[in-house]
Amino acid sequence: MGKFNTLMRWFSTAGQDLPDGLPDVAREYLEATSMPPSWVDWGEMERARLFFIDNNVHISTALSFASMPACYVIPHVAKLLAATHALDYPSRRMAETGQFTVYLMRPDAFETGSRFIPAAQKVRLLHASIRHHLRQENRWDVANLGTPICQEDMIGGQVAFSLMVLDAMHRLGIHMSNEGADAFYYAWRVVGAMLGCSLDHMPKDLEEARLFSDLYLSRHMGPSEEGVRLTRQLIDLYEEVVPGTVFDPVVPAMIRYLIGDTAADWLDVPRSPLWDSAIRTAPAFLGVLETLEDNSPFAAWALDRLGHFTSVFELSALTRGRVMQYAIPEQLKNEYGVTSAKPRLDRWAPPPLTPTL
């Protein structure tokens, strides 16, 4: 375990020379996973980057207040987080998720010197290590809970960080094009493949992702002690970030609005009649800002900068300033013949819920 942790700390950028004395199995793994899948459409990845630049603060909000609580409402996933001690460090988990997304959306994500590929390699290696040690140490009831971090749960995570983010943004009234939404999902499908998700089972598009999500959640959603504790720590974390106490109820109100009352009640998300009602005006307010952004280059620039600095502040607060330099790419180039414009007539709408569920 000591060598594993040393390797995890040492290996941080793509193209680094591997150290002498590295076990053959580790060397083979790092070399085999050092390249993105051969089928990657780089034009689609560029569209995903532009979508991220346009929506970085909204994506961060959706990850924090929708995707993560959606993971907590899966009891065996919450138990897994508890078993691996992640339960005690929610800020670290949130910061790692945010930083991973930033690395993915950099223009050099797949080039020598980038931090994304090593980050993906570490996550996949960490998953394998957790599977091994939980079973070897008899700390996981495989008969009742299944294999830890199995294919179903890995794909569930991929869907949570893609489709559920888009769902939350749509609920907040964010304007998104079909092209942008499809590209964002595509990028996370590439991530899923690099983390070991089976291409034969991973949803190919947003419509298939909806079907998988509905089946997965209907099979596994429910209350758990660990889910309640995780959610309480998440709320406490963000209430610390927001100055003062007047606006503290905004955090649980946002979670409740984005995941719905049933899931929120399972997670013991506090109710606040005033703020639960007030938060429902967010789509109208954000819709005005989105309209300004669509029609005014200056407003678009100002809101992009505000989103950038908000995301910087959030990551810095989560890690007490110990994250690596946060750099949202500003290269809005036409290298792939794409543009950051968000056509109002091509506005994305979520795939419908599965009727039988």
Side-chain angles (χ1 to χ4, degrees):
M1 181 61 73
K3 291 183 178 179
F4 172 79
N5 287 334
T6 299
L7 176 62
M8 294 285 274
R9 286 191 296 268
W10 171 85
F11 187 57
S12 61
T13 59
Q16 281 183 262
D17 292 332
L18 299 180
D20 296 333
L22 191 66
D24 289 342
V25 65
R27 184 178 297 274
E28 290 171 3
Y29 164 76
L30 292 174
E31 291 176 348
T33 58
S34 63
M35 297 292 291
S38 60
W39 47 264
V40 173
D41 181 335
W42 297 109
E44 195 74 350
M45 293 299 291
E46 182 67 4
R47 281 183 279 275
R49 271 191 284 273
L50 298 178
F51 179 84
F52 179 73
I53 293 170
D54 280 335
N55 297 285
N56 55 3
V57 70
H58 306 313
I59 290 170
S60 296
T61 299
L63 284 170
S64 300
F65 303 133
S67 296
M68 294 307 298
C71 294
Y72 302 159
V73 84
I74 307 296
H76 69 271
V77 172
K79 289 180 185 295
L80 176 71
L81 291 170
T84 56
H85 305 294
L87 186 63
D88 297 324
Y89 303 100
S91 62
R92 179 177 177 181
R93 173 61 175 158
M94 290 302 305
E96 287 174 346
T97 302
Q99 193 72 73
F100 186 85
T101 304
V102 171
Y103 289 157
L104 169 65
M105 295 303 173
R106 287 181 60 89
D108 62 351
F110 298 94
E111 299 176 5
T112 299
S114 78
R115 297 187 182 277
F116 171 68
I117 290 179
Q121 290 175 306
K122 290 178 183 181
V123 170
R124 187 169 180 175
L125 195 58
L126 181 62
H127 287 173
S129 176
I130 290 171
R131 287 190 207 99
H132 173 76
H133 286 287
L134 286 181
R135 288 185 289 189
Q136 285 292 106
E137 299 167 10
N138 294 318
R139 296 170 54 201
W140 190 258
D141 186 353
V142 175
N144 291 318
L145 299 175
T147 301
I149 318 183
C150 63
Q151 279 288 321
E152 184 184 28
D153 291 333
M154 290 169 59
I155 296 173
Q158 180 246 341
V159 170
F161 295 141
S162 55
L163 173 63
M164 290 185 187
V165 166
L166 296 172
D167 280 345
M169 290 170 62
H170 181 267
R171 189 162 176 75
L172 288 170
I174 305 304
H175 301 169
M176 296 174 284
S177 68
N178 287 305
E179 178 185 77
D182 288 341
F184 184 74
Y185 178 75
Y186 181 88
W188 278 100
R189 193 165 189 268
V190 172
V191 171
M194 295 182 70
L195 296 184
C197 293
S198 167
L199 281 177
D200 292 334
H201 298 94
M202 197 166 32
K204 295 181 176 61
D205 52 34
L206 286 166
E207 285 70 27
E208 289 190 11
R210 171 67 73 215
L211 176 60
F212 178 93
S213 175
D214 289 348
L215 290 170
Y216 182 71
L217 293 175
S218 64
R219 272 168 49 86
H220 297 299
M221 280 179 68
S224 70
E225 178 183 344
E226 293 85 357
V228 170
R229 286 178 57 199
L230 276 167
T231 305
R232 182 66 258 172
Q233 290 183 336
L234 175 66
I235 292 172
D236 289 344
L237 174 68
Y238 277 98
E239 287 180 350
E240 288 179 11
V241 172
V242 177
T245 60
V246 174
F247 296 103
D248 283 356
V250 172
V251 176
M254 179 66 78
I255 294 174
R256 181 170 287 277
Y257 178 69
L258 292 179
I259 69 173
D261 285 334
T262 298
D265 288 342
W266 282 339
L267 297 175
D268 277 0
V269 176
R271 289 179 178 270
S272 170
L274 173 62
W275 287 103
D276 288 350
S277 298
I279 208 70
R280 298 180 186 279
T281 66
F285 174 71
L286 291 173
V288 171
L289 294 180
E290 289 281 298
T291 300
L292 288 174
E293 185 177 10
D294 289 340
N295 294 285
S296 168
F298 176 77
W301 174 85
L303 290 171
D304 282 344
R305 297 315 300 166
L306 177 61
H308 168 71
F309 288 120
T310 301
S311 300
V312 170
F313 171 76
E314 181 178 27
L315 271 180
S316 297
L318 289 174
T319 59
R320 305 302 188 262
R322 292 193 295 273
V323 293
M324 296 179 184
Q325 183 177 359
Y326 183 100
I328 294 293
E330 300 291 346
Q331 296 90 330
L332 298 180
K333 306 298 184 183
N334 292 324
E335 181 178 353
Y336 294 95
V338 295
T339 164
S340 62
K342 296 181 289 185
R344 296 295 299 279
L345 299 179
D346 184 36
R347 188 170 176 179
W348 182 77
L353 294 176
T354 306
T356 56
L357 299 177

